[in-house]
Amino acid sequence: MRKYFELLIMFLGLCPMLMAQNIQGVVTDTKGMPISFANVVELLQADSSFIKGTVSKEDGSFMLEGVKSGNVIRVSLIGYETQYINYTGQTTVTLKLQESTNMLGEVVVKSSLPKTVLRGEGMITNIKGSVLEKTSNMEQLLSRIPNVSAKDGQIEVFGRGTPVIFINGRKMQDQMDLQRLQPSNIKKIEVINNPGARYDASVKSVIRITTKKTQGEGFSFDNKTTFSVNEEKRLSSYESFQGNYRKGGLDVNGFLYGAYAHTPENKQVTQYSYITDTWQQNMNVNQEFTNINIRTLGGKLYAWRRKQFGCQLQLQSFSKG
Protein backbone atom coordinates (compact mmCIF):
# COMPACT_ATOMS: atom_id res chain seq x y z
CA MET A 1 0.00 0.00 0.00
CA ARG A 2 2.82 2.39 0.86
CA LYS A 3 4.44 1.75 -2.52
CA TYR A 4 1.24 2.65 -4.37
CA PHE A 5 0.88 5.77 -2.23
CA GLU A 6 4.42 6.90 -3.14
CA LEU A 7 3.73 6.30 -6.82
CA LEU A 8 0.57 8.40 -6.54
CA ILE A 9 2.51 11.27 -4.95
CA MET A 10 5.10 11.11 -7.74
CA PHE A 11 2.35 11.16 -10.40
CA LEU A 12 0.65 14.14 -8.82
CA GLY A 13 3.99 15.93 -8.71
CA LEU A 14 4.54 15.28 -12.40
CA CYS A 15 1.08 16.54 -13.45
CA PRO A 16 1.99 20.27 -13.48
CA MET A 17 5.09 19.41 -15.56
CA LEU A 18 2.96 17.51 -18.05
CA MET A 19 0.48 20.34 -18.29
CA ALA A 20 2.98 23.20 -18.66
CA GLN A 21 6.33 23.34 -20.43
CA ASN A 22 9.13 25.81 -20.96
CA ILE A 23 9.63 26.75 -24.61
CA GLN A 24 13.05 27.61 -26.03
CA GLY A 25 13.05 28.94 -29.54
CA VAL A 26 14.27 31.39 -32.11
CA VAL A 27 12.45 33.93 -34.29
CA THR A 28 13.77 34.36 -37.84
CA ASP A 29 12.66 35.79 -41.15
CA THR A 30 12.02 33.62 -44.20
CA LYS A 31 15.76 33.74 -45.06
CA GLY A 32 16.74 32.40 -41.65
CA MET A 33 18.08 35.71 -40.32
CA PRO A 34 17.34 36.29 -36.60
CA ILE A 35 14.65 38.80 -35.65
CA SER A 36 15.14 40.76 -32.43
CA PHE A 37 12.53 42.47 -30.23
CA ALA A 38 9.62 40.31 -31.46
CA ASN A 39 6.81 39.80 -28.94
CA VAL A 40 6.22 36.11 -28.11
CA VAL A 41 3.14 35.73 -25.92
CA GLU A 42 0.90 32.98 -24.57
CA LEU A 43 -2.85 33.52 -25.06
CA LEU A 44 -5.78 31.64 -23.57
CA GLN A 45 -7.40 29.73 -26.41
CA ALA A 46 -10.97 30.44 -25.24
CA ASP A 47 -10.89 34.24 -25.55
CA SER A 48 -7.31 35.16 -26.61
CA SER A 49 -6.69 36.87 -23.27
CA PHE A 50 -3.06 37.60 -22.37
CA ILE A 51 -1.34 35.18 -19.99
CA LYS A 52 2.39 35.87 -20.22
CA GLY A 53 4.98 36.99 -22.72
CA THR A 54 8.59 37.63 -23.55
CA VAL A 55 10.62 39.34 -26.27
CA SER A 56 13.23 37.82 -28.58
CA LYS A 57 16.87 38.79 -28.00
CA GLU A 58 19.24 40.31 -30.53
CA ASP A 59 20.08 36.81 -31.83
CA GLY A 60 16.35 35.99 -32.15
CA SER A 61 16.32 33.55 -29.23
CA PHE A 62 13.66 33.52 -26.51
CA MET A 63 12.45 31.55 -23.51
CA LEU A 64 8.77 31.33 -22.56
CA GLU A 65 8.18 29.55 -19.26
CA GLY A 66 5.25 27.46 -18.04
CA VAL A 67 3.21 27.33 -21.25
CA LYS A 68 0.13 25.09 -21.05
CA SER A 69 -0.73 22.69 -23.84
CA GLY A 70 -3.82 23.80 -25.74
CA ASN A 71 -3.11 27.50 -25.48
CA VAL A 72 -2.04 29.76 -28.36
CA ILE A 73 1.40 31.24 -28.98
CA ARG A 74 1.39 34.57 -30.83
CA VAL A 75 4.51 36.05 -32.41
CA SER A 76 4.33 39.63 -33.65
CA LEU A 77 6.55 42.49 -34.76
CA ILE A 78 5.70 45.56 -36.79
CA GLY A 79 6.65 44.96 -40.42
CA TYR A 80 5.90 41.22 -40.29
CA GLU A 81 2.76 39.12 -40.49
CA THR A 82 1.60 38.04 -37.03
CA GLN A 83 1.89 34.27 -36.54
CA TYR A 84 -0.36 32.12 -34.32
CA ILE A 85 0.56 28.61 -33.17
CA ASN A 86 -1.63 26.10 -31.32
CA TYR A 87 0.74 24.84 -28.63
CA THR A 88 0.78 21.05 -28.26
CA GLY A 89 3.61 20.54 -25.76
CA GLN A 90 6.81 20.95 -27.80
CA THR A 91 9.82 22.37 -25.93
CA THR A 92 11.78 23.83 -28.86
CA VAL A 93 10.43 25.81 -31.81
CA THR A 94 11.70 27.87 -34.73
CA LEU A 95 9.28 30.64 -35.69
CA LYS A 96 9.60 32.18 -39.15
CA LEU A 97 7.87 35.49 -39.81
CA GLN A 98 6.82 36.59 -43.27
CA GLU A 99 7.56 40.21 -44.19
CA SER A 100 4.50 42.40 -44.62
CA THR A 101 4.68 44.78 -47.56
CA ASN A 102 1.52 46.64 -46.59
CA MET A 103 0.23 47.51 -43.15
CA LEU A 104 -2.09 50.01 -41.56
CA GLY A 105 -4.03 50.73 -44.73
CA GLU A 106 -2.01 52.02 -47.65
CA VAL A 107 1.19 52.67 -45.72
CA VAL A 108 4.24 50.78 -46.99
CA VAL A 109 6.33 49.88 -43.96
CA LYS A 110 9.62 48.57 -45.35
CA SER A 111 11.28 51.98 -45.33
CA SER A 112 9.64 53.38 -42.19
CA LEU A 113 9.80 50.71 -39.48
CA PRO A 114 10.19 51.90 -35.89
CA LYS A 115 13.61 51.42 -34.33
CA THR A 116 14.01 49.80 -30.91
CA VAL A 117 17.29 50.08 -29.01
CA LEU A 118 18.47 48.85 -25.62
CA ARG A 119 19.53 51.71 -23.40
CA GLY A 120 20.08 52.06 -19.67
CA GLU A 121 17.29 50.42 -17.70
CA GLY A 122 15.18 49.24 -20.63
CA MET A 123 14.41 49.63 -24.32
CA ILE A 124 13.38 52.69 -26.33
CA THR A 125 11.18 52.55 -29.42
CA ASN A 126 11.23 55.61 -31.66
CA ILE A 127 7.73 56.38 -32.96
CA LYS A 128 8.41 59.63 -34.83
CA GLY A 129 8.55 59.10 -38.58
CA SER A 130 7.47 55.44 -38.38
CA VAL A 131 4.25 53.64 -39.34
CA LEU A 132 3.28 53.52 -35.66
CA GLU A 133 2.25 57.16 -36.05
CA LYS A 134 -0.66 55.87 -38.15
CA THR A 135 -2.21 53.63 -35.48
CA SER A 136 -5.73 54.63 -34.47
CA ASN A 137 -5.23 55.06 -30.70
CA MET A 138 -2.70 54.71 -27.90
CA GLU A 139 -3.81 51.22 -26.90
CA GLN A 140 -3.17 49.94 -30.41
CA LEU A 141 0.17 51.72 -30.44
CA LEU A 142 1.29 50.23 -27.11
CA SER A 143 0.22 46.73 -28.20
CA ARG A 144 2.85 46.97 -30.98
CA ILE A 145 5.68 48.00 -28.66
CA PRO A 146 8.19 45.23 -27.75
CA ASN A 147 7.72 43.80 -24.24
CA VAL A 148 4.21 45.29 -23.84
CA SER A 149 0.67 43.89 -23.95
CA ALA A 150 -2.30 46.28 -24.26
CA LYS A 151 -5.91 45.16 -24.68
CA ASP A 152 -9.29 46.31 -23.38
CA GLY A 153 -7.73 48.97 -21.16
CA GLN A 154 -5.28 46.54 -19.51
CA ILE A 155 -1.60 47.38 -20.04
CA GLU A 156 1.18 45.01 -18.90
CA VAL A 157 4.93 44.77 -19.23
CA PHE A 158 5.93 41.15 -19.81
CA GLY A 159 6.79 39.45 -16.54
CA ARG A 160 6.48 42.70 -14.54
CA GLY A 161 2.74 43.34 -14.38
CA THR A 162 0.97 46.69 -14.64
CA PRO A 163 3.46 49.53 -15.21
CA VAL A 164 3.57 53.05 -13.83
CA ILE A 165 3.20 55.36 -16.83
CA PHE A 166 4.85 58.77 -17.21
CA ILE A 167 3.89 61.26 -19.93
CA ASN A 168 6.61 63.87 -20.56
CA GLY A 169 7.99 63.17 -17.09
CA ARG A 170 4.61 63.55 -15.33
CA LYS A 171 3.02 60.51 -13.71
CA MET A 172 -0.23 59.50 -15.38
CA GLN A 173 -3.23 60.14 -13.11
CA ASP A 174 -5.77 57.87 -14.84
CA GLN A 175 -6.59 56.26 -18.19
CA MET A 176 -8.00 59.53 -19.51
CA ASP A 177 -4.48 60.99 -19.59
CA LEU A 178 -3.48 58.21 -21.96
CA GLN A 179 -6.62 58.32 -24.09
CA ARG A 180 -6.21 62.02 -24.88
CA LEU A 181 -2.85 61.36 -26.60
CA GLN A 182 -2.66 60.86 -30.35
CA PRO A 183 -0.12 58.36 -31.79
CA SER A 184 0.82 60.92 -34.44
CA ASN A 185 2.05 63.21 -31.63
CA ILE A 186 4.31 60.60 -29.93
CA LYS A 187 8.08 60.91 -30.28
CA LYS A 188 9.29 57.82 -28.40
CA ILE A 189 8.26 55.23 -25.80
CA GLU A 190 10.66 53.78 -23.23
CA VAL A 191 9.83 50.49 -21.47
CA ILE A 192 11.71 49.89 -18.22
CA ASN A 193 11.34 46.41 -16.71
CA ASN A 194 14.00 46.87 -14.02
CA PRO A 195 13.37 50.33 -12.48
CA GLY A 196 16.30 51.81 -10.61
CA ALA A 197 16.57 53.61 -7.29
CA ARG A 198 14.89 56.78 -8.60
CA TYR A 199 11.54 54.93 -8.49
CA ASP A 200 9.64 53.68 -5.45
CA ALA A 201 10.48 50.14 -4.35
CA SER A 202 6.91 49.01 -5.13
CA VAL A 203 7.29 49.97 -8.82
CA LYS A 204 7.97 46.84 -10.88
CA SER A 205 7.91 48.39 -14.36
CA VAL A 206 7.69 51.80 -16.01
CA ILE A 207 6.57 53.13 -19.38
CA ARG A 208 7.80 56.61 -20.26
CA ILE A 209 6.02 58.36 -23.14
CA THR A 210 7.59 61.42 -24.75
CA THR A 211 5.53 63.55 -27.12
CA LYS A 212 6.77 65.74 -29.95
CA LYS A 213 7.50 69.35 -29.14
CA THR A 214 4.88 71.53 -30.79
CA GLN A 215 6.32 74.21 -33.03
CA GLY A 216 5.22 77.84 -33.17
CA GLU A 217 3.87 80.32 -30.63
CA GLY A 218 0.43 81.40 -29.43
CA PHE A 219 -2.61 79.51 -28.20
CA SER A 220 -3.67 76.07 -29.49
CA PHE A 221 -6.31 73.61 -28.38
CA ASP A 222 -7.66 70.13 -29.08
CA ASN A 223 -11.24 69.04 -28.34
CA LYS A 224 -12.57 65.46 -28.40
CA THR A 225 -16.09 64.08 -27.86
CA THR A 226 -17.08 60.39 -27.75
CA PHE A 227 -20.38 58.60 -27.11
CA SER A 228 -21.38 55.01 -26.30
CA VAL A 229 -24.65 53.14 -25.61
CA ASN A 230 -24.80 50.30 -23.07
CA GLU A 231 -27.01 47.20 -23.07
CA GLU A 232 -29.74 49.15 -21.29
CA LYS A 233 -29.73 51.63 -24.20
CA ARG A 234 -28.41 54.37 -21.94
CA LEU A 235 -26.08 56.98 -23.37
CA SER A 236 -22.63 57.67 -21.91
CA SER A 237 -20.36 60.44 -23.10
CA TYR A 238 -16.81 61.69 -22.70
CA GLU A 239 -15.62 65.22 -23.41
CA SER A 240 -12.03 66.42 -23.29
CA PHE A 241 -10.31 69.74 -23.90
CA GLN A 242 -6.57 70.31 -24.08
CA GLY A 243 -5.12 73.79 -24.34
CA ASN A 244 -1.60 75.10 -24.77
CA TYR A 245 -0.06 78.57 -24.72
CA ARG A 246 3.49 79.24 -25.88
CA LYS A 247 5.33 82.54 -25.98
CA GLY A 248 9.09 82.87 -25.95
CA GLY A 249 10.38 80.62 -23.17
CA LEU A 250 6.91 80.23 -21.62
CA ASP A 251 5.08 76.97 -22.40
CA VAL A 252 1.85 76.26 -20.46
CA ASN A 253 -0.28 73.18 -21.05
CA GLY A 254 -3.61 72.28 -19.44
CA PHE A 255 -6.21 69.52 -19.70
CA LEU A 256 -9.89 69.37 -18.77
CA TYR A 257 -12.23 66.44 -19.20
CA GLY A 258 -15.64 65.26 -18.08
CA ALA A 259 -17.24 61.82 -18.25
CA TYR A 260 -20.93 60.95 -17.87
CA ALA A 261 -21.35 57.17 -17.69
CA HIS A 262 -24.14 54.67 -17.02
CA THR A 263 -23.08 51.31 -15.60
CA PRO A 264 -25.75 48.58 -15.26
CA GLU A 265 -25.41 45.99 -12.47
CA ASN A 266 -28.41 43.72 -12.82
CA LYS A 267 -29.04 40.55 -10.78
CA GLN A 268 -31.54 37.70 -10.89
CA VAL A 269 -32.45 35.66 -7.79
CA THR A 270 -34.47 32.41 -7.86
CA GLN A 271 -35.81 30.93 -4.59
CA TYR A 272 -37.75 27.68 -4.06
CA SER A 273 -40.04 27.18 -1.02
CA TYR A 274 -41.17 23.60 -0.26
CA ILE A 275 -44.37 23.59 1.83
CA THR A 276 -47.59 21.78 0.83
CA ASP A 277 -46.95 23.01 -2.67
CA THR A 278 -43.68 24.02 -4.27
CA TRP A 279 -43.37 27.77 -4.79
CA GLN A 280 -40.84 29.31 -7.17
CA GLN A 281 -39.96 32.92 -6.49
CA ASN A 282 -38.12 34.89 -9.18
CA MET A 283 -36.72 38.30 -8.35
CA ASN A 284 -35.08 40.56 -10.93
CA VAL A 285 -33.06 43.38 -9.42
CA ASN A 286 -32.18 46.20 -11.82
CA GLN A 287 -29.43 48.55 -10.70
CA GLU A 288 -27.70 51.29 -12.62
CA PHE A 289 -24.99 53.69 -11.53
CA THR A 290 -24.65 57.10 -13.12
CA ASN A 291 -21.12 58.49 -12.85
CA ILE A 292 -20.03 62.04 -13.57
CA ASN A 293 -16.29 62.78 -13.37
CA ILE A 294 -14.61 66.12 -14.02
CA ARG A 295 -10.85 66.67 -13.80
CA THR A 296 -9.62 70.25 -13.73
CA LEU A 297 -6.49 71.74 -15.24
CA GLY A 298 -4.75 71.41 -11.90
CA GLY A 299 -5.44 67.68 -11.75
CA LYS A 300 -8.13 67.76 -9.06
CA LEU A 301 -10.91 65.22 -9.59
CA TYR A 302 -14.56 65.93 -8.84
CA ALA A 303 -16.85 62.89 -8.91
CA TRP A 304 -20.57 62.35 -8.42
CA ARG A 305 -22.43 59.03 -8.40
CA ARG A 306 -26.15 58.29 -8.33
CA LYS A 307 -27.68 54.82 -7.90
CA GLN A 308 -30.98 53.81 -9.49
CA PHE A 309 -32.77 50.72 -8.22
CA GLY A 310 -35.70 48.63 -9.48
CA CYS A 311 -37.20 45.28 -8.46
CA GLN A 312 -39.58 42.83 -10.12
CA LEU A 313 -41.06 39.86 -8.20
CA GLN A 314 -42.79 36.80 -9.64
CA LEU A 315 -44.37 33.89 -7.70
CA GLN A 316 -45.35 30.55 -9.21
CA SER A 317 -46.93 27.50 -7.51
CA PHE A 318 -46.45 23.82 -8.36
CA SER A 319 -48.71 21.19 -6.78
CA LYS A 320 -47.14 17.97 -5.57
CA GLY A 321 -49.86 15.99 -7.44
Side-chain angles (χ1 to χ4, degrees):
M1 179 63 70
R2 180 178 179 182
K3 182 178 179 179
Y4 289 116
F5 181 76
E6 291 175 349
L7 289 173
L8 178 61
I9 295 297
M10 291 177 61
F11 176 77
L12 293 176
L14 287 172
C15 282
M17 297 177 61
L18 295 173
M19 294 176 61
Q21 297 283 350
N22 294 341
I23 302 178
Q24 286 185 321
V26 61
V27 183
T28 70
D29 60 17
T30 54
K31 298 178 182 179
M33 298 300 294
I35 296 177
S36 57
F37 304 119
N39 283 340
V40 183
V41 303
E42 178 186 6
L43 305 175
L44 189 65
Q45 189 177 47
D47 58 4
S48 296
S49 58
F50 174 82
I51 299 176
K52 66 174 71 73
T54 187
V55 63
S56 61
K57 299 178 181 178
E58 291 182 308
D59 61 357
S61 65
F62 69 89
M63 164 74 82
L64 194 59
E65 299 181 348
V67 182
K68 292 185 179 180
S69 181
N71 284 340
V72 176
I73 305 298
R74 185 188 69 197
V75 188
S76 61
L77 180 65
I78 191 74
Y80 296 87
E81 300 289 347
T82 300
Q83 183 176 353
Y84 295 88
I85 300 171
N86 292 321
Y87 180 63
T88 57
Q90 59 269 42
T91 57
T92 58
V93 292
T94 297
L95 306 171
K96 292 186 178 182
L97 297 184
Q98 180 76 35
E99 288 188 11
S100 175
T101 56
N102 288 281
M103 193 175 221
L104 305 174
E106 298 298 322
V107 181
V108 179
V109 303
K110 284 188 174 180
S111 60
S112 55
L113 294 176
K115 295 180 180 179
T116 299
V117 295
L118 294 174
R119 184 179 300 171
E121 302 167 318
M123 57 181 63
I124 298 175
T125 300
N126 293 305
I127 310 301
K128 183 179 179 180
S130 77
V131 292
L132 290 180
E133 289 184 329
K134 306 300 182 181
T135 48
S136 59
N137 54 58
M138 285 301 298
E139 183 172 289
Q140 188 183 76
L141 171 59
L142 288 172
S143 69
R144 298 177 184 274
I145 298 296
N147 224 24
V148 177
S149 170
K151 183 180 180 182
D152 299 329
Q154 300 296 319
I155 300 172
E156 290 192 33
V157 172
F158 295 166
R160 306 299 291 177
T162 303
V164 176
I165 299 177
F166 290 85
I167 301 173
N168 292 330
R170 181 178 63 85
K171 185 177 179 180
M172 189 178 79
Q173 299 298 317
D174 55 37
Q175 284 292 112
M176 297 301 179
D177 287 345
L178 189 64
Q179 292 177 11
R180 70 181 175 85
L181 296 178
Q182 297 297 324
S184 59
N185 193 40
I186 305 303
K187 179 181 179 181
K188 63 181 180 179
I189 295 178
E190 181 179 6
V191 180
I192 302 173
N193 52 12
N194 289 300
R198 58 174 171 160
Y199 300 102
D200 188 87
S202 61
V203 176
K204 302 301 181 183
S205 61
V206 174
I207 293 179
R208 302 186 68 89
I209 300 173
T210 303
T211 62
K212 300 174 185 176
K213 183 176 178 59
T214 306
Q215 301 298 317
E217 293 188 342
F219 180 77
S220 63
F221 69 91
D222 177 52
N223 182 254
K224 180 180 179 181
T225 303
T226 58
F227 298 94
S228 63
V229 180
N230 64 20
E231 54 266 41
E232 300 294 333
K233 298 182 179 179
R234 299 297 299 274
L235 181 68
S236 298
S237 63
Y238 164 77
E239 182 84 20
S240 67
F241 176 87
Q242 181 181 4
N244 180 265
Y245 180 77
R246 185 179 298 103
K247 184 71 174 179
L250 178 65
D251 194 340
V252 180
N253 182 277
F255 180 66
L256 174 67
Y257 81 83
Y260 179 73
H262 292 278
T263 307
E265 294 186 11
N266 300 329
K267 299 178 177 64
Q268 182 174 356
V269 179
T270 301
Q271 178 179 323
Y272 288 92
S273 300
Y274 298 95
I275 316 174
T276 305
D277 296 331
T278 301
W279 288 82
Q280 177 182 335
Q281 175 180 314
N282 294 322
M283 179 181 295
N284 295 315
V285 180
N286 302 314
Q287 301 180 84
E288 184 166 295
F289 294 89
T290 300
N291 302 286
I292 298 178
N293 301 308
I294 298 176
R295 185 176 294 280
T296 65
L297 299 178
K300 189 173 182 180
L301 177 66
Y302 296 90
W304 175 81
R305 195 181 204 200
R306 179 168 64 93
K307 180 178 180 182
Q308 296 175 323
F309 176 84
C311 180
Q312 181 181 1
L313 181 64
Q314 178 184 359
L315 293 176
Q316 189 173 359
S317 173
F318 301 90
S319 300
K320 287 186 175 181

